[in-house]
Structures are given as C-alpha cells and as structure tokens.
Amino acid sequence: MIRRLNAGILCLFIATACIAADLTAPCVTLPEVLITGTKIGAARSFTGEEIRASGARTVAEFLEQVTGIALRLDGASGGKAFARIGGSNANQVLVLIDGVRLSDVGSGETDLSKLSAEWIESIEVTQGGGSVGGEAIGGVIAVKTNQTAHNELRVYAHGSSSLTTVGARQEFARDELTAAISVTREQGRGDYAFRVIEADGNGPFTLQLGQTLRRENNELLRDHAMGKVTRKLGRHELGGMMLIERAVFGLPGYLAPRPTPLAEQNELFNLAQVSWQTAPAVGMIAVALASQHQTRDFFDPDLYSYLHESHEYSTRQTAIGSWSKQTLVGSLSASARLERERLASGVLENSEAVRNRWQSAVQWSRSIALDRLERHEINVSAVGQIERFGDAKMQWLPSAEASYTWEATLPVVIGVRGSQAYLAPSFYSLFWNDELLAQGNPDLRPETSTVWTGYARARTRNAHSTNVDINGTLNRVTDLIFWRQAFDGRWTPQNLRSATLNQLTLSVKQVMLPKHADVGVSFEWLEARDRSGERTTNDKYLIYRPARTARADIRIRGHSTQGGVTFRWVDKQAVLETNSKWLPRYSILDAELSHTFRLGAARFSASLACENVLNTDYRVVRHAPMPLRQWWLTLSIAMGK
C-alpha cells in the first residue's frame, strides 16, 4: 500500500508539472489582513488569506496566535506540535482535514506541524463537541484544503542555524480541472541553546543554575509531499488528496522511553482520500473515503537502555456520507461516519488492538428575522448525535445553540451553546505493556463532558474598524484520564471522577491606519481544577496549562514591505503533576520583517524573523526546554503569467 501511495504522488507530480507548462492564469497577490476571524455562531472561522498573512508556515504556527488555544511543543525547531483548546488534553481535540479525522491511532493526538499553511482554504475552531464527532471534549479544529488553484510555480527556502527547509509547490488550473502538489524537505541537527533556571531543580541550589547548555539529539530529517486534484462535471465534483511524510529524528528528554543520546525514531505516514459531491434537487450529497497508514520504528543501541528497539504499525479506514438541504422550516442535514482502527506494536499487550467506531448525526438550524429594517435576527440550531466506540455502550450526544444578531448600525452577536462529548480511552492507555516503568489499564472508563459556551462579538463598520470578541466556557469532565505514578513506581492511567475547566478570553482588534497598521490585544484566564477527592490531586490545577496569558500584536504594511511584532506574557503555569513547582512569570517577544518585489513574471519575497528577541529563559513542559533567541531567514520565488 505504501508503495502504491508513493507511486501515486509521483505520478500526480509529474502530470501536474507537465500540464502546467502552459501557464495562463494571472498570478494573484493575497492582501495582508489582520487576524480577526469570521464568526459563525460559536465557531471561529479563519480564511486562507488571513492564515498566510499572519506569516505562519504551518497550521500549528497559526493556531498558536489564536486566543484560547495553547500548543504543546516538543521544543525542537520543526518538531511536532499538538493543540489544546480551553485547557484540554491534546487527544481531546478533534482535528479534521476535509472532514476526515487526522490523529495518531495509538495516542489519539494530532501533529499539526504536518499541515502547511499554503494548502489551507479555511480553518474553523469550535469548543466542545458537535455534529462532526463527539470525541471532541476540548473542541474541533476543522481544516479545509484549497479548492482552487492558479497556474503558478513557487520555490522557497527557510532556515536558521539549527534547521533548514526547502520546498516547491506547483499549481495548475484549466477549465474545470485544478491540481496542485508540493514537496518539502526539512533537515538540521536541531540542537539549540537553553539556559538552566531555578524551576529546573531545587531553587537557588539547582545544578548548573544560570548556565547556557545545548539540547542534544534533536537531529531531524523530514520529507513531506502533498497533492490534490479536483474535477467538476456538471453538478458533480470529484476530488482526490494524498499526503505522505517520512521523518527521522532523535529523541531527547521525555519523548521516548528511557531515552539516551543515541535514541532515534523513524516514521512514515500516508493519508489518501477520494471524495464526490453533487447537488440534485433533493439537496447536497457528499461522500468521502479515506485510508491512513503509519509506521514507527524506535532504536536505541545504548547497552544500558531497557528498550533497544520497537516497531509499530497502524491503519485507519474511514467512510463518510452527508446530506443537506435548505427547506421552509430551516436548514436540515444528516451525516454518518464509519471507522476501523488497528494498531500493532510490541509495547501492547497481545501485540495488536482493533476497534470499530460509528457515528451518525442530524442537525437543524434556522434564522428568524424579528425586524428586517433594523436587521434583528435570532439564530437557533440543534444537533442529535449517536456514537459508539468498540464494545462500549452507545452514547447520546446532543448539542444546541441560540444567538441574537443586530446589524443596524453596529454588528453585534450574543449567543450561548451547550454540547456533550465523549472520548474512548486510547490504545496506549488501555494496552501499554511496558512492565517496568509504565502499564496500561484495561479497566479505564470513557471520558464524558458537558461544555457550556457564552460569547459576545461586535465590530464597527468604519475604516478604523474595531473588533471585540468575548468568550466564556465551562467544561465539566467526568472520568478524566491522566497518567499517574503508583506506589510501585510504575506510571498507570487512572480515571478522575470529576474535573472542571473554566476559561475566559477577551480579544480586541483595532485598525489604526487603514491598509497600513493594525493592533491586536488579547487576554486568557484559565482555571482547571480536579474535584475527585484524590489525595494528590484534590483542588489542584491540572498539569501543564498556562493559567494567565496576555498577547499583543502590531502589524505594519507599506507598499511591498510589511513587519510585525508579537508580545506574549504568561503569568502562571504548573510544572509537575502535584503542582509543587510553578514556572516563574515570563514574556516572549517575536519580530518579523518581509519585502516583496516583482521582476517580470516572477515574484520574489524575503523575510527576516527573530524568535524570543529578549532571550528569555522559560519552559513549556518539564524536560522540554525551549530555545533561546533564534534568527530565521526565508526566501521564495513564484513564477507564473
């Protein structure tokens, strides 16, 4: 199967490159805009133009700029990145790419660094579950890839002292056929400088306190290819998408069992998807089939290592069908999803785990106009969903939303949303078989949650527009799964009877000079407490959640030059499960400057960026120090008529 996927991508690339030799469509320069997000009810939607204008290279880099979302980073440049919404765990966030779930079969987490920003048409972020899947206790990140293409070839290079990225993207459009393919290589030793602080040990008695060290065994080699073809045939539209990624990297810190400076991991990931949609008189009908394959090999030749090698292979097959229609009583839609997951690994009991899941949902929504002249409107929607994992009992997961909109002079939206979500234990949590240091728990109960969200949004219509967004969330989670060290020293997953996560976010976007200068500020307050009565976690903050975060952005544009400065301030964050240590307050300043110019049919772009300008000492999670100051240079050229 892997060979067929690689051959398919190669053929797609050759065909696209050959056909695109006749470049007829004009080259389009996307406008620079401030990230505000188009609001659709409780969901926040961001366009591809907004994403690329932010300077982000991947979906992970963009989501790091969105209020209410925190990323868990490996620390290494080019490393993996996992999103948390409202203080949730990474595996409690459902990530969809064109409607298909994208996550690791074993852990349930989704590496967002796989997705390049140039492929994205839109991203929609919703807190809590919905009609797309109940496994979203934290929320849903729905990514839609580009549906259109231009006749253009773009090559680029991006690098620093620790990592270099080179890539190319070819787009083709003719009549009703569009196609695109991109290939990327990331390579570097990955080592970076960090400084030891008191939070790393015993306060002023910490070993090597104040010394600058280098994170070792961070080598990275990653090849990435993605291709997509879309063809319209009257009312019908056919599409195909392929994603292949091969990575070889070292494993420092907490990222591997008993790591040593010699530990290494190889990964190969493939995702293939075909889709069909049509719009007859009975409504819009869409069908998609997808197949995901992943292999992971771990090696550690160190004689003192307990685990010298392991091999893991996983698959996921997905079938999705949906129907939607606008009627006199409102908008109606129905969907069904079938999945089969399989994981084979030497670290699992019986070496293999298989699970089927199915989900179906019916959704209704309607807009009621109260005053057409003043444009008063009430929007209501309701979702009924049934979901089942493996042999677990069926779960009824309803959700509902109501909002009021007034657009006469100052567009204002006020609304409330409630939803229920459900998450089955991951294969790792159930069947992990590392007998010395960790062991799975087959008696784990599924997690369930009820999420209530209230929001208010307003935006002025003048040239110096102001956008205000207030969002409050209450998430009550039952049987939350977390790994805890038992009396025998082994780490084992347990169920907490109850946990509560409260979040309040406020963001303001202000246009200072139309088309030239924008300013944005945001604040996030998070309280995540256990209510289980357990001795070691009672009334404690949950691990690794920033409790207070503020952010300020300034973006300036003039002619073909633009620049931006981002300041982040974090007040409080736990380091250990028992919360006996807290990270000190820290602030991070990032800056970027870019310039674009044309020479004939070619468009050149160069940018210089500096991360952590102030050279701040800080940590995100234990054993994963973040880098000190780093400089990045990016060069790109796009060619087309």
Side-chain angles (χ1 to χ4, degrees):
M1 182 62 182
I2 293 174
R3 292 178 179 176
R4 289 197 297 269
L5 290 176
N6 282 279
I9 282 287
L10 180 60
C11 292
L12 179 62
F13 177 76
I14 295 174
T16 304
C18 293
I19 297 174
D22 179 18
L23 301 176
T24 58
C27 179
V28 178
T29 301
L30 296 173
E32 182 71 19
V33 294
L34 182 69
I35 301 175
T36 58
T38 304
K39 309 301 188 300
I40 306 175
R44 291 175 291 172
S45 183
F46 305 92
T47 65
E49 287 82 358
E50 290 176 298
I51 296 167
R52 285 180 284 275
S54 70
R57 300 187 310 276
T58 66
V59 170
E61 290 184 5
F62 174 77
L63 292 176
E64 191 175 21
Q65 305 174 27
V66 177
T67 306
I69 297 181
L71 292 187
R72 193 196 79 205
L73 306 173
D74 286 351
S77 301
K80 297 183 177 182
F82 307 92
R84 285 173 165 149
I85 300 177
S88 66
N89 289 326
N91 66 340
Q92 294 173 333
V93 175
L94 174 64
V95 179
L96 302 173
I97 177 169
D98 292 337
V100 174
R101 190 158 65 99
L102 180 70
S103 65
D104 185 276
V105 173
S107 67
E109 300 178 340
T110 303
D111 177 17
L112 293 169
S113 67
K114 295 179 183 294
L115 303 177
S116 173
E118 65 182 7
W119 276 98
I120 307 307
E121 180 172 303
S122 66
I123 296 178
E124 186 174 284
V125 180
T126 307
Q127 288 195 246
S131 61
V132 294
E135 61 267 35
I137 285 180
V140 181
I141 299 174
V143 178
K144 186 178 181 181
T145 58
N146 291 331
Q147 302 298 311
T148 59
H150 308 284
N151 288 315
E152 183 178 79
L153 171 65
R154 176 174 174 261
V155 294
Y156 56 91
H158 173 78
S160 69
S161 60
S162 60
L163 184 71
T164 300
T165 303
V166 294
R169 175 183 171 90
Q170 174 70 69
E171 296 183 0
F172 164 75
R174 177 181 292 173
D175 299 327
E176 301 298 320
L177 174 66
T178 61
I181 187 168
S182 68
V183 291
T184 305
R185 162 160 283 202
E186 293 179 284
Q187 186 172 7
R189 52 191 179 84
D191 297 345
Y192 56 84
F194 71 95
R195 190 173 297 119
V196 178
I197 61 175
E198 292 186 0
D200 293 323
N202 301 311
F205 304 103
T206 302
L207 295 177
Q208 299 177 306
L209 180 62
Q211 295 185 23
T212 298
L213 307 176
R214 294 201 67 83
R215 186 84 186 264
E216 297 181 351
N217 199 27
N218 263 356
E219 292 82 2
L220 173 69
L221 174 62
R222 178 156 65 175
D223 295 318
H224 184 279
M226 186 172 181
K228 185 171 183 178
V229 175
T230 303
R231 178 63 186 266
K232 293 182 179 180
L233 299 170
R235 292 183 177 180
H236 305 275
E237 182 176 292
L238 302 176
M241 187 265 289
M242 285 183 132
L243 189 157
I244 295 178
E245 181 180 82
R246 182 183 70 91
V248 181
F249 49 88
L251 289 169
Y254 70 102
L255 300 178
R258 292 156 302 280
T260 71
L262 301 177
E264 181 181 280
Q265 187 157 291
N266 299 346
E267 292 186 2
L268 179 62
F269 177 88
N270 298 273
L271 174 65
Q273 177 182 340
V274 294
S275 61
W276 166 75
Q277 65 179 20
T278 184
V282 296
M284 174 70 74
I285 299 174
V287 176
L289 301 174
S291 180
Q292 175 181 318
H293 298 258
Q294 184 172 9
T295 59
R296 181 179 290 125
D297 296 294
F298 169 79
F299 304 97
D300 190 353
D302 193 293
L303 296 177
Y304 296 98
S305 174
Y306 171 70
L307 182 65
H308 293 291
E309 63 178 286
S310 67
H311 175 76
E312 181 177 293
Y313 176 73
S314 65
T315 62
R316 177 188 291 125
Q317 282 78 40
T318 306
I320 304 172
S322 65
W323 167 86
S324 61
K325 183 176 177 61
Q326 195 74 29
T327 67
L328 295 177
V329 297
S331 177
L332 296 175
S333 64
S335 63
R337 180 190 304 263
L338 299 174
E339 287 185 344
R340 179 177 176 83
E341 298 176 322
R342 175 177 174 267
L343 176 66
S345 174
V347 299
L348 297 182
E349 292 184 11
N350 301 322
S351 300
E352 184 176 89
V354 179
R355 178 164 60 196
N356 299 322
R357 70 171 74 197
W358 63 268
Q359 175 254 338
S360 62
V362 177
Q363 182 172 358
W364 168 80
S365 61
R366 184 177 182 181
S367 298
I368 304 172
L370 302 179
D371 188 328
R372 297 187 182 277
L373 181 62
E374 294 292 329
R375 300 184 68 181
H376 292 272
E377 188 176 84
I378 293 179
N379 298 279
V380 293
S381 65
V383 177
Q385 182 180 180
I386 299 176
E387 187 161 341
R388 181 172 179 175
F389 293 78
D391 297 328
K393 64 179 181 180
M394 288 191 300
Q395 295 289 322
W396 168 245
L397 306 170
S399 64
E401 181 177 351
S403 64
Y404 166 75
T405 304
W406 179 40
E407 296 189 2
T409 55
L410 177 68
V412 175
V413 179
I414 301 175
V416 62
R417 181 176 187 268
S419 65
Q420 289 188 341
Y422 167 79
L423 180 64
S426 69
F427 284 147
Y428 287 162
S429 296
L430 290 171
F431 308 119
W432 191 267
N433 193 31
D434 181 0
E435 297 182 354
L436 287 184
L437 295 182
Q439 187 169 351
N441 182 1
D443 298 324
L444 285 174
R445 298 181 298 275
E447 300 175 343
T448 58
S449 77
T450 301
V451 182
W452 291 97
T453 302
Y455 56 91
R457 297 168 184 139
R459 182 174 185 176
T460 61
R461 287 198 177 99
N462 54 23
H464 296 81
S465 64
T466 303
N467 189 315
V468 180
D469 190 337
I470 303 174
N471 193 86
T473 302
L474 171 63
N475 190 352
R476 298 186 182 276
V477 185
T478 303
D479 291 324
L480 176 72
I481 296 173
F482 79 112
W483 285 76
R484 177 180 170 190
Q485 196 168 21
F487 66 91
D488 59 0
R490 291 187 299 185
W491 289 87
T492 305
Q494 305 286 338
N495 285 113
L496 288 177
R497 287 194 292 273
S498 179
T500 303
L501 293 86
N502 302 318
Q503 185 185 49
L504 177 65
T505 62
L506 169 64
S507 63
V508 179
K509 308 290 185 179
Q510 176 67 55
V511 176
M512 304 300 294
L513 295 174
K515 300 182 180 181
H516 292 292
D518 307 308
V519 175
V521 295
S522 63
F523 174 77
E524 176 182 347
W525 174 86
L526 176 66
E527 181 182 67
R529 291 184 179 271
D530 302 331
R531 303 293 186 185
S532 66
E534 296 288 341
R535 183 177 61 183
T536 59
T537 55
N538 183 36
D539 257 358
K540 298 289 187 179
Y541 283 87
L542 299 179
I543 189 172
Y544 304 151
R545 272 74 163 185
R548 312 285 187 271
T549 304
R551 181 187 180 97
D553 299 273
I554 301 176
R555 298 198 67 85
I556 300 176
R557 299 175 295 278
H559 301 292
S560 299
T561 303
Q562 59 184 0
V565 175
T566 300
F567 178 80
R568 288 175 291 157
W569 174 81
V570 178
D571 176 47
K572 197 173 187 182
Q573 184 172 336
V575 180
L576 303 178
E577 179 206 1
T578 57
N579 301 296
S580 58
K581 292 184 180 180
W582 292 83
L583 288 180
R585 296 179 180 179
Y586 64 87
S587 56
I588 302 296
L589 181 66
D590 300 329
E592 181 182 8
L593 181 67
S594 63
H595 180 72
T596 301
F597 64 95
R598 287 184 175 274
L599 185 60
R603 185 177 73 252
F604 295 85
S605 179
S607 66
L608 180 65
C610 183
E611 297 178 354
N612 193 5
V613 176
L614 302 178
N615 217 32
T616 303
D617 307 319
Y618 71 106
R619 302 290 183 273
V620 171
V621 292
R622 191 185 183 196
H623 302 314
M626 300 301 289
L628 294 173
R629 185 187 298 121
Q630 290 192 114
W631 292 90
W632 294 87
L633 177 64
T634 303
L635 302 172
S636 69
I637 176 174
M639 296 173 289
K641 294 183 180 179

